[in-house]
Amino acid sequence: MRAYPYPRLSGRVSLRVTAVELKAPGESREPLDVKAFSAVEQVVALGGTERDDWESARLKLSATVPSKATDPDGPWSDVSVVAVLAEGATNARTVVPLEPSTESGREWTGSMDVWRADHLDRASLNVHVVARTDGVAGRVIATSQKDWIVDLSARAPKRQRELDVVEVSFSKGPQWLQPFKGVPWIVDTSGDVAAVHVNTDFEGLTDLLSGAGSAAEGLVRDLMLAQMRTDVWTAVFHVAIGDLEIEEDGTPLFSHDWRGEVLREMLPDVMPGRPLEEALGEVHRRRAGASGWIDLQPRIHFAATQRAQMPKALSTAIRGLDRLHQGADA
Amino acid sequence: MAGRTQTELATSVGVTRAAVSAWITGRARPRDETIRKIAEALGTDLGTVRNRTTDTLVGRPVAWYHRPAPLDGGREFGNPAAFAFEADVSALAREATQNSLDERIVDGGRPVRVRYTLDELTGETLARFRRAIRWEELVPHYEAAASQDQKVGQAISAGLRDMNTRDRLVLLRVDDYNAHGLTGDDYEDGRFAAVMRRQLDSHKSGRHAGGSYGLGKATLWAASRLGLVLVNSTLHEPHEGRTEGRLIGRLDLPWREVDGKAWAGPAWFGRPDPHVEGADVARSWWADEGIVEQLRLTREGDEPGTSFLIVGAHDVASLIDATSSEGDGVADDDSVHRMHGRLVQALERNFWAAMTSGAGRRPLLEASVRTLRNGAEVIAEERVDPRASQPSRTRALQAFLDGTTVERLTEKGAGQVVMTTVPLSVPGREERRSGGEHRAVLLVTEAEDDDGVLNTLTTMRGNRMTVRMKPVPNLPIGTDPFQAVLLAGHAAGDGAPFADEAETFLRASEPPEHDKWGQTDELRTRYSPSAYRRIGSLVQETHKAVRELVAAPKEKRRTSAERIRKRLAVGGKRAVRPATVAGLPTLDELHAHIGDGGAWCITAEVKIPAGGDSWPLVPVAKLAVRSGPKPVLAWSELAAVHNCEVVDGVLHFTGGARRATFSGVTDVTTHPVKSTLSSLVVELRTGKGDK
């Protein structure tokens, strides 16, 4: 729980992106279709455009703040409303002031330029109400609840992130894959988003994955996919837990990218019955400390199989085999 | 001249025969008081004498004339057409307004104005009205009808009971102005006969007409508990040389026996017709202002149109409910208010498009509703404004009429309307030319908050009445809310290809309620048994087009990769399960202020779930920062206040306690910045941790 040494503004502060225009060098701005940004998901997806040479995007913003903010009898003066675009990965932070658009002082509008070169992946967009209170200027007295995400590469405006799947020949592909040429797939967690590399050299693998095939093929494929997903979830969990920021008192923090999301989704299975922060602290202590990490392995494995829905895939495969046998007997 | 000689008339009025002759040949005009005397002598009314151009019907008074039962012994216990609809004011508003819209006078381009008036009569006013409609003559008929144990009989008996015990009667008047009125002969083909004399006669004038069954008028009688409707019409084209004040009443009762004579059912309130031999037949008459006012049928001004007065209006979805006198009685004080609200709603829902117009033009329809009690206003006249209840849809239609639509949506909250067309292949009529491909217009715009159901598709044709309003299926998650309108037939604009054919085809595919497009008998017989499938494909195409316009794009991917990606998504909508903490105490309230020395003084309340008292917890104070690790503050004192004790900076809760309070003061020497310049975060941690 937080406490502030000055009065804060209660009530809802909300932010809407009303239009997006892309600018390529030497050309005029071009408005994006509204399908590229969603008010429901609160995401702007800039990767769905035909052109990939754009260098900046101008977001038109509109914010609603409680009317108490501009009440002359309130404890605040010099109230302004600012939009803040920040990305943890690059430590970029852009602040633009918004202008009041109505007499009531509830609606504020403005625009924010997002420079492509300043950002890596996903930036979050917030609105703060800033005012002078108790003689100190520039204090944040209210913030929007749910932030908007500006995603530079996604085609569809979704908060959910999909892990990348790459089909590549391990023998002719990148150098680092060559030692693995006999392996069907490899999980790589070094990029912005974890990726699964599927080996096209592995005979019949791609056909099996893409083909409709017979019933037996389908059973094998679903089983294999479940296995692949189990591998992926196990790998990403280990990566996420091994790469934490630690506070002074030893409390680990959730990272802001996909790693944080992975932990949030899997920790309830790894450490059942604990609040997320507690669970994270406990898992981190066991990994970094002297004991308990070994005991945790089955739990991690369990969480990964749950997440990959392995049990369901396996029982479906076994039942399917039974049916195939019955069909052969008949 | 009612079979009198000029001499006889001259004697009874008290003038010379020459004077009478001069009036008749038109050389002179009688004075006003003389006219009154003439009227008395002829047993007719002032209006007839003043405006007379043809023979008047004289002698016998205006009264009720019942149709005798047929000699073959057939009995009809009510009008089946009345059961085609639900007997409530929404259906009435829909059907009656549609009829007015169909009868709009197109020349001059003015809207048809429809006004609904609810008037509750009590006491003396009610008694006067009953005298005017000659209620006493009707009582034996009503009693005979009410004694029958049929649906209609039950409704009538409930209506009578309600009126007699509570001494109240609700009248609902439906007026239209700038419409044709009930023109035509009393018996021959025409609007008058179609409405007042016939069943299932849809006498529609325009090709755009909404109605096609001739059933809608039955809702007027169905809405009356007493089966009684009075009509006053101002005609657009003169009948018998006159236009104003054509009155008639019609009563729809089941077959009944009164005074030993059997009656077929319907009865008319009017003048007996001397030209019909051997039977009592009533016909419409031209009433003077006094009579019109007594019957509460006074129209404003002389604009053509019709007023229907529904006597004993009620609003129940089923006639069976009418037998219970509690709750749904028309006499309920709020029931008039409720009817008023429902009328407004029904008009908004069904006719918002007819009330919308492009810039510089007038709409097809203007509608209003008001409520009176004994003629005095209870709810002031409320003009139905579609912009209030259907903001997005009216905006979409208006943009189409003004030609301000766009090709794609680029801005939110700016009210853009995107337009595209959808094909409807109209089948050929049997043994006639084949149809063609009509292009219906599809409009999509962002939805507003007060739009009712979101993401719906509203369909309509030339009469601009809402036919169907259903949500668009299979929208991907995360689609922003929108409203879509499909304009087919003549609604798609005059330039649309094959608009006539599409209009005819769609009109044939509507059931009597006009609330969907689908298989009907007419469609089967006039086109082909499978013609209705064209409508299905139109709706499907439309849904597809809507999805293309509004749905968020899918990630592009190859099929094999797609299979792997399933369940490889993190974050987003999948709500993380709320941590079901096995009885861990949590901070519930925090009161903090900065003390004299610049230290934070806090008092915190802890909520302890059942069994949570065994956890020892460590309170930790930190300063909030924007990013990176938070600096930790040390406690200079930590004290238990209630239900707990502090040992070495660890809280131990009292067994069985549900709430505990502790207080603390931070150590100023550990503050990295002045405490007024940062906010404080207090957490409870389990275990010792590594301090």
Side-chain angles (χ1 to χ4, degrees), chain B residues 392-409:
Chain B
S392 330
R393 297 187 187 97
T394 46
R395 190 181 58 223
L397 184 62
Q398 202 156 353
F400 169 67
L401 295 171
D402 293 347
T404 55
T405 53
V406 295
E407 283 184 10
R408 61 190 191 116
L409 296 171

Side-chain angles (χ1 to χ4, degrees), chain B residues 33 163 295 301 317 328 339 354 420 438 483 492 508-509 571 620 645:
Chain B
E33 62 267 30
M163 182 169 88
L295 292 171
D328 65 344
M339 274 158 96
T420 180
H438 171 64
Q483 295 291 7
S509 73
V620 180
E645 49 185 28

Side-chain angles (χ1 to χ4, degrees), chain A residues 7-297:
Chain A
R8 301 258 303 174
L9 176 65
S10 60
R12 242 182 94 89
V13 178
S14 65
L15 169 69
R16 289 170 306 285
V17 175
T18 56
V20 180
E21 293 171 340
L22 286 187
K23 184 165 174 13
E27 290 183 32
S28 57
R29 301 187 174 278
E30 189 190 335
L32 265 187
D33 219 296
V34 290
K35 288 186 280 190
F37 49 105
S38 161
V40 178
E41 296 269 318
Q42 298 210 343
V43 177
V44 179
L46 299 175
T49 50
E50 310 293 286
R51 42 186 333 154
D52 52 3
D53 61 341
W54 62 274
E55 59 177 8
S56 75
R58 176 165 293 179
L59 314 182
K60 287 201 177 139
L61 308 175
S62 147
T64 309
V65 305
S67 52
K68 284 188 298 227
T70 49
D71 186 355
D73 306 333
W76 309 285
S77 57
D78 306 346
V79 175
S80 59
V81 175
V82 294
V84 178
L85 180 80
E87 187 180 16
T90 57
N91 265 336
R93 186 178 164 89
T94 318
V95 180
V96 292
L98 304 181
E99 298 292 326
S101 63
T102 53
E103 284 298 309
S104 65
R106 293 203 59 195
E107 302 291 329
W108 296 65
T109 53
S111 65
M112 149 100 60
D113 281 8
V114 181
W115 290 89
R116 194 177 186 174
D118 291 349
H119 296 278
L120 177 70
D121 174 35
R122 276 188 161 194
S124 64
L125 183 63
N126 266 318
V127 158
H128 297 299
V129 184
V130 179
R132 169 188 292 274
T133 158
D134 298 346
V136 183
R139 287 184 148 173
V140 177
I141 55 170
T143 302
S144 55
Q145 293 285 326
K146 186 181 173 188
D147 55 356
W148 274 73
I149 292 176
V150 180
D151 193 315
L152 272 73
S153 55
R155 295 175 44 79
K158 289 217 170 92
R159 281 187 108 78
Q160 201 176 60
R161 311 213 62 174
E162 285 179 335
L163 306 186
D164 213 359
V165 178
V166 188
E167 292 185 337
V168 61
S169 158
F170 283 15
S171 58
K172 304 185 194 70
Q175 189 71 35
W176 69 272
L177 283 171
Q178 286 183 7
F180 310 118
K181 56 176 181 262
V183 179
W185 64 78
I186 284 288
V187 184
D188 168 32
T189 51
S190 58
D192 307 335
V193 179
V196 185
H197 295 270
V198 177
N199 189 355
T200 53
D201 294 343
F202 201 93
E203 199 172 338
L205 178 64
T206 44
D207 298 342
L208 183 65
L209 282 176
S210 58
S214 65
E217 273 176 44
L219 294 178
V220 175
R221 180 182 56 235
D222 291 350
L223 202 55
M224 191 183 77
L225 285 176
Q227 176 59 50
M228 193 185 286
R229 286 197 293 263
T230 311
D231 287 359
V232 173
W233 285 115
T234 311
V236 293
F237 182 81
H238 279 286
V239 169
I241 201 76
D243 192 12
L244 292 172
E245 246 185 293
I246 314 294
E247 296 207 330
E248 277 180 36
D249 62 342
T251 313
L253 295 174
F254 282 99
S255 46
H256 295 287
D257 55 1
W258 60 267
R259 295 178 181 85
E261 298 285 359
V262 166
L263 289 173
R264 271 179 231 276
E265 284 189 20
M266 291 177 72
L267 279 172
D269 280 331
V270 177
M271 279 272 162
R274 296 278 200 96
L276 280 175
E277 287 75 15
E278 284 285 330
L280 183 66
E282 180 62 23
V283 173
H284 174 69
R285 266 195 297 281
R286 291 191 183 200
R287 199 186 72 85
S291 66
W293 181 235
I294 305 295
D295 309 340
L296 210 57
Q297 295 311 305

